[in-house]
Amino acid sequence: MKNSGKAVVFQGSGKPLMLREFPLPTLKEGEILVQISQCAICISDLHTISGKRESPLPLIPGHEIVGTIKELPSKSKLTDLKGQILQPGDMISWTLNTSCGKCFNCKKEIPQKCKHLIKYGHSPISEEYSLNGGMAEYILLRKGTSIIKLDNHIPAHLYTCINCSLSTVMAAIHAAGKIEGSTALIFGAGMLGTLCSAVLKSQKAEKIIAIDPNLKRLEIIQQFGTSHAIQWRDNLKTEALIRHILTITENHGADLVFEMSGAEMAISTALQTMGIGGKLILCGSVFPSRDISFNPETIVRNLWEIKGIHNYNTRDFLAAEKFLSNNISNFPFSDLFHPGFYSLEETEEAIKTARTKKFHRVVITP
Amino acid sequence: MKNSGKAVVFQGSGKPLMLREFPLPTLKEGEILVQISQCAICISDLHTISGKRESPLPLIPGHEIVGTIKELPSKSKLTDLKGQILQPGDMISWTLNTSCGKCFNCKKEIPQKCKHLIKYGHSPISEEYSLNGGMAEYILLRKGTSIIKLDNHIPAHLYTCINCSLSTVMAAIHAAGKIEGSTALIFGAGMLGTLCSAVLKSQKAEKIIAIDPNLKRLEIIQQFGTSHAIQWRDNLKTEALIRHILTITENHGADLVFEMSGAEMAISTALQTMGIGGKLILCGSVFPSRDISFNPETIVRNLWEIKGIHNYNTRDFLAAEKFLSNNISNFPFSDLFHPGFYSLEETEEAIKTARTKKFHRVVITP
């Protein structure tokens, strides 16, 4: 058996990525060694590499990963979230964060804010733990990682979204409550917005309106259930956009707004196009932005709800796997991926391709 | 049978209240004539009379009412929300708004925003409908009013809160979700805040912190389950208040914040003392106030929820009646009321007493 594995090391913005060989670790209780088959490049990986997002360095980027179990600790039997016993060779997905299950936030079912959190793809290489990221041949899953065995009949790369964007979408959908018959507005037709549109469609939203500057993305999102695609252009007056949305909603305003772009204009537009009892689910604001002002009386009299979503819990992760497995033939998921896969050696090129935003995801196959 | 009834008529701010005699109406299908036994003066009545709140005039103020059925239409059998048949002599409470049950908002279970809404105590006297308010001997309940038969063993005036403040509190509690084990923060120890404290206590909140400038109210709210009462003083620095709250919450911040004061400082303080996953329920901002600014990234990363509550639906109204009936011996509800009742002729004096804010409610017994 090979006793080392290659991994891409990020040492800081502007510095070249390095390919390094790391020894394979000796497993401790609860740990699993996984051979990575696919790692998709998430926008947050691009933010880390560009320096927009600060991370402790050096690190191995990548967290949207699918892999097969290489080695399990010999003594203990480990199971996935569905109670299935895990074995070498199983294709699995796992939560992008570990959690202790015992701290204040874990007990509140917010494991993503665990006091002892480790984030795959965002944690530094240390003497004890080096294989923490997805752009590598192997990853060491720590104790406290929730796992789901995957269906071998579905192409592995399609599953890369379930432990990040799709689970976050599921958390947003959970926060939204009743979807059936609703009019939903999505800001941003990236991976989050597109998957959100698909889930809304599958849960029988009546109208799904998507707003994005990118025409190609608007074309794709219409394959994922969106009924009304609106191109955001710099010269589009906010008043005209608001009028357009209100017309589509027959002047009732939107029941649900999913803010998945992080754009400031999105939130202020949302606050002018929500109907009575409307819910605004904020997912996109994961980087510093200007404050937004709101009028408390307007929120009260309109019975509005504003809810922030950041990452997800195991309920959402399970829902994501279930949604993808059940809907694999209902939406053209493979269109979200760049058709050619990149090797670890081609990571710089893969990142360049990802930055063009021509495809929602670019995949590395170590 | 007497065929007319006295009522207090409000003609505009600064003008004296008039006592006028109105003929009793002939009932149409679905209408009920009620003899009013008690009408409590709500803060919104004070706002109407002071001119802070604009209403179409002239009107009969008062909506926190309890009464007994005087007359029902002869042909149809009417039932209350629990399906009990209504009969003359029944002591009842009813929703402060009527609703059609068919419009867009009614179908969304937001009957308080019905497109054909009539608000008792806030609707003008017209040729067709004059007896619309509680400061009167009789009130005509329109079709679309939800009714609950009351328990004769409970003093009637204690029930005046269920169709306004207590139902609003129940809507806020519903929005808050899980209460058990939570740390809750209440801004404002008025009627809403005090009843909210009682409901939180009954649902096993672990810590209940109340903030108000009025020492007597803080004393009372501690009889209603509040574990930590904090006096808001003009010279109290926001930083000191925040530190105090964080200490009580063991630096986790509050799980639930109920804003029931309408004070601007309350919302900004709330946004600095909520814990991860915290919910801010806005109820008090029912009059124009300055905008409040918020940072989208902070809401997202903290998984916060901000929810506006205005009035209530029948679910909340039923919950309010149930809570009061089940907890009548658990909290000193009668301490919330001025011990002496006022006659219709003494309405001006009753309003003066209500304005002193020495008691949460002052009751008129027509």
Side-chain angles (χ1 to χ4, degrees):
Chain A
M1 181 179 153
K2 194 182 162 193
N3 61 3
S4 70
K6 280 185 289 182
V8 170
V9 177
F10 170 65
Q11 306 170 98
S13 185
K15 297 184 187 165
L17 296 174
M18 262 180 58
L19 200 59
R20 270 180 59 190
E21 194 85 24
F22 290 90
L24 298 187
T26 307
L27 299 185
K28 291 202 277 280
E29 189 225 326
E31 294 180 347
I32 301 177
L33 186 67
V34 172
Q35 181 159 15
I36 294 171
S37 55
Q38 328 259 352
C39 176
I41 303 172
C42 175
I43 304 296
S44 68
D45 296 321
L46 297 179
H47 287 172
T48 300
I49 292 165
S50 71
K52 192 170 179 182
R53 176 192 174 119
E54 270 188 49
S55 293
L57 299 176
L59 59 76
I60 301 168
H63 54 272
E64 294 196 347
I65 319 168
V66 169
T68 54
I69 296 178
K70 176 85 179 164
E71 195 191 342
L72 287 152
S74 51
K75 283 179 196 167
S76 52
K77 272 193 179 167
L78 295 176
T79 56
D80 79 351
L81 280 176
K82 298 175 182 174
Q84 305 173 100
I85 291 170
L86 296 171
Q87 290 176 318
D90 285 345
M91 180 164 96
I92 59 170
S93 173
W94 55 90
T95 48
L96 53 79
N97 298 323
T98 63
S99 52
C100 71
K102 293 171 193 163
C103 72
F104 188 82
N105 292 332
C106 279
K107 282 187 186 157
K108 282 177 77 177
E109 291 174 36
I110 315 174
Q112 64 266 51
K113 299 291 169 181
C114 173
K115 305 274 180 188
H116 312 285
L117 194 78
I118 295 150
K119 261 188 152 168
Y120 296 113
H122 295 291
S123 294
I125 294 166
S126 68
E127 279 213 5
E128 199 180 355
Y129 289 104
S130 50
L131 297 171
N132 302 324
M135 298 185 188
E137 284 184 293
Y138 296 96
I139 187 167
L140 176 75
L141 302 190
R142 314 269 191 107
K143 195 177 172 178
T145 306
S146 294
I147 293 165
I148 304 181
K149 256 199 210 188
L150 301 176
D151 181 351
N152 280 315
H153 299 96
I154 293 177
H157 71 286
L158 301 186
Y159 273 128
T160 53
C161 67
I162 70 169
N163 81 341
C164 183
S165 38
L166 188 52
S167 285
T168 302
V169 164
M170 285 315 196
I173 293 285
H174 181 83
K178 195 183 163 219
I179 306 294
E180 191 174 340
S182 66
T183 294
L185 182 56
I186 302 171
F187 286 94
M191 194 71 171
L192 281 175
T194 306
L195 293 172
C196 185
S197 176
V199 179
L200 288 168
K201 178 72 181 175
S202 76
Q203 295 195 15
K204 302 191 169 59
E206 197 183 308
K207 288 178 188 167
I208 303 170
I209 309 162
I211 301 171
D212 196 280
N214 185 318
L215 271 182
K216 192 184 165 200
R217 290 188 161 195
L218 288 174
E219 216 170 85
I220 291 176
I221 203 168
Q222 290 176 81
Q223 308 298 314
F224 284 78
T226 286
S227 54
H228 298 75
I230 302 175
Q231 193 190 16
W232 169 258
R233 302 174 311 272
D234 281 343
N235 63 352
L236 177 67
K237 291 227 168 61
T238 311
E239 295 72 33
L241 177 63
I242 291 167
R243 244 193 338 269
H244 191 166
I245 295 168
L246 289 177
T247 304
I248 296 169
T249 65
E250 294 164 36
N251 287 318
H252 291 305
D255 300 310
L256 304 172
V257 182
F258 296 89
E259 201 305 288
M260 298 182 146
S261 71
E264 285 168 22
M265 82 81 194
I267 302 178
S268 54
T269 306
L271 291 175
Q272 291 172 83
T273 50
M274 276 210 290
I276 286 171
K279 292 184 187 185
L280 167 58
I281 319 284
L282 301 176
C283 302
S285 304
V286 285
F287 45 82
S289 66
R290 270 188 306 183
D291 284 6
I292 306 266
S293 68
F294 71 93
N295 184 267
E297 190 187 10
T298 308
I299 293 192
V300 167
R301 291 199 181 272
N302 286 302
L303 292 104
W304 278 348
E305 183 175 317
I306 301 172
K307 167 86 184 153
I309 293 291
H310 191 228
N311 298 149
Y312 57 87
N313 63 19
T314 52
R315 174 201 64 215
D316 308 314
F317 180 42
L318 277 161
E321 186 275 331
K322 191 175 170 186
F323 172 78
L324 192 76
S325 299
N326 289 350
N327 288 278
I328 201 75
S329 325
N330 298 339
F331 303 101
F333 291 106
S334 58
D335 290 0
L336 301 175
F337 295 85
H338 183 272
F341 296 160
Y342 291 83
S343 68
L344 275 185
E345 286 74 10
E346 298 164 327
T347 300
E348 294 270 19
E349 203 184 324
I351 288 167
K352 242 183 240 164
T353 309
R355 282 214 177 103
T356 64
K357 293 197 177 175
K358 282 191 183 154
F359 292 87
H360 290 72
R361 285 294 183 270
V362 171
V363 174
I364 295 168
T365 52
Chain B
M1 181 179 152
K2 199 182 157 191
N3 61 5
S4 70
K6 281 182 290 182
V8 170
V9 177
F10 170 65
Q11 306 171 96
S13 186
K15 294 184 189 167
L17 297 173
M18 261 180 57
L19 201 59
R20 269 181 58 191
E21 195 85 24
F22 290 91
L24 297 187
T26 308
L27 299 185
K28 291 202 276 281
E29 189 226 327
E31 294 179 347
I32 301 177
L33 186 66
V34 171
Q35 182 159 12
I36 294 171
S37 55
Q38 329 260 352
C39 176
I41 303 172
C42 176
I43 305 295
S44 69
D45 296 320
L46 297 180
H47 287 172
T48 300
I49 291 166
S50 71
K52 192 170 179 181
R53 177 191 173 121
E54 269 188 50
S55 292
L57 300 176
L59 59 76
I60 301 168
H63 54 274
E64 294 196 348
I65 318 168
V66 169
T68 53
I69 296 177
K70 176 86 178 164
E71 197 190 340
L72 288 151
S74 51
K75 282 179 196 165
S76 51
K77 272 194 179 167
L78 295 176
T79 56
D80 78 353
L81 280 177
K82 298 176 182 173
Q84 306 173 99
I85 291 170
L86 296 171
Q87 289 176 318
D90 285 344
M91 180 164 95
I92 59 170
S93 173
W94 55 90
T95 49
L96 51 80
N97 298 322
T98 63
S99 53
C100 72
K102 293 171 194 163
C103 72
F104 187 82
N105 291 334
C106 279
K107 282 186 188 159
K108 282 178 76 178
E109 292 176 34
I110 314 176
Q112 63 266 51
K113 300 290 168 181
C114 173
K115 306 272 182 191
H116 312 285
L117 195 76
I118 295 151
K119 260 188 153 168
Y120 296 114
H122 294 291
S123 294
I125 294 165
S126 68
E127 278 213 9
E128 199 180 356
Y129 289 103
S130 50
L131 296 172
N132 301 325
M135 298 184 188
E137 285 184 292
Y138 297 97
I139 187 166
L140 177 75
L141 301 190
R142 314 269 191 106
K143 195 177 172 177
T145 306
S146 294
I147 293 165
I148 304 182
K149 255 199 211 189
L150 301 176
D151 181 350
N152 280 316
H153 298 96
I154 292 176
H157 71 286
L158 301 186
Y159 273 128
T160 52
C161 68
I162 70 170
N163 81 341
C164 183
S165 37
L166 188 52
S167 285
T168 302
V169 164
M170 286 314 198
I173 293 284
H174 181 84
K178 195 183 163 218
I179 305 294
E180 194 175 338
S182 67
T183 294
L185 182 57
I186 303 171
F187 285 94
M191 194 71 171
L192 282 176
T194 306
L195 293 172
C196 185
S197 176
V199 179
L200 288 169
K201 178 71 181 174
S202 76
Q203 294 195 15
K204 300 191 172 60
E206 197 184 307
K207 286 178 190 168
I208 304 170
I209 308 163
I211 301 171
D212 197 279
N214 185 319
L215 270 182
K216 194 188 164 195
R217 289 187 162 195
L218 288 176
E219 216 169 86
I220 291 175
I221 204 169
Q222 290 178 80
Q223 308 297 315
F224 284 77
T226 287
S227 54
H228 298 74
I230 302 175
Q231 192 190 15
W232 169 258
R233 304 175 308 272
D234 281 343
N235 63 351
L236 177 68
K237 292 229 165 62
T238 311
E239 294 73 30
L241 177 63
I242 291 167
R243 241 189 344 265
H244 191 166
I245 295 167
L246 288 178
T247 304
I248 296 169
T249 64
E250 294 164 35
N251 287 318
H252 290 304
D255 301 310
L256 305 171
V257 182
F258 296 90
E259 200 308 286
M260 299 182 147
S261 70
E264 285 167 23
M265 81 82 194
I267 302 177
S268 53
T269 306
L271 292 175
Q272 292 171 85
T273 51
M274 276 210 289
I276 285 171
K279 292 185 186 182
L280 167 58
I281 319 285
L282 301 176
C283 301
S285 304
V286 286
F287 44 82
S289 65
R290 272 188 306 183
D291 283 5
I292 306 269
S293 69
F294 70 93
N295 184 266
E297 191 188 10
T298 308
I299 293 191
V300 167
R301 291 200 181 270
N302 286 303
L303 292 103
W304 279 348
E305 184 175 318
I306 301 172
K307 168 87 185 151
I309 293 292
H310 192 226
N311 299 150
Y312 57 88
N313 64 17
T314 52
R315 173 202 64 215
D316 308 315
F317 181 42
L318 277 162
E321 186 275 331
K322 191 176 171 188
F323 172 78
L324 192 74
S325 299
N326 289 350
N327 288 278
I328 201 74
S329 325
N330 298 338
F331 302 100
F333 291 106
S334 57
D335 290 0
L336 302 174
F337 296 86
H338 183 271
F341 295 161
Y342 291 83
S343 68
L344 275 185
E345 287 75 9
E346 298 164 327
T347 299
E348 294 271 19
E349 202 183 328
I351 288 167
K352 242 182 241 165
T353 308
R355 283 213 177 104
T356 65
K357 295 199 177 172
K358 283 193 182 153
F359 291 87
H360 290 72
R361 284 295 183 270
V362 171
V363 174
I364 294 168
T365 52

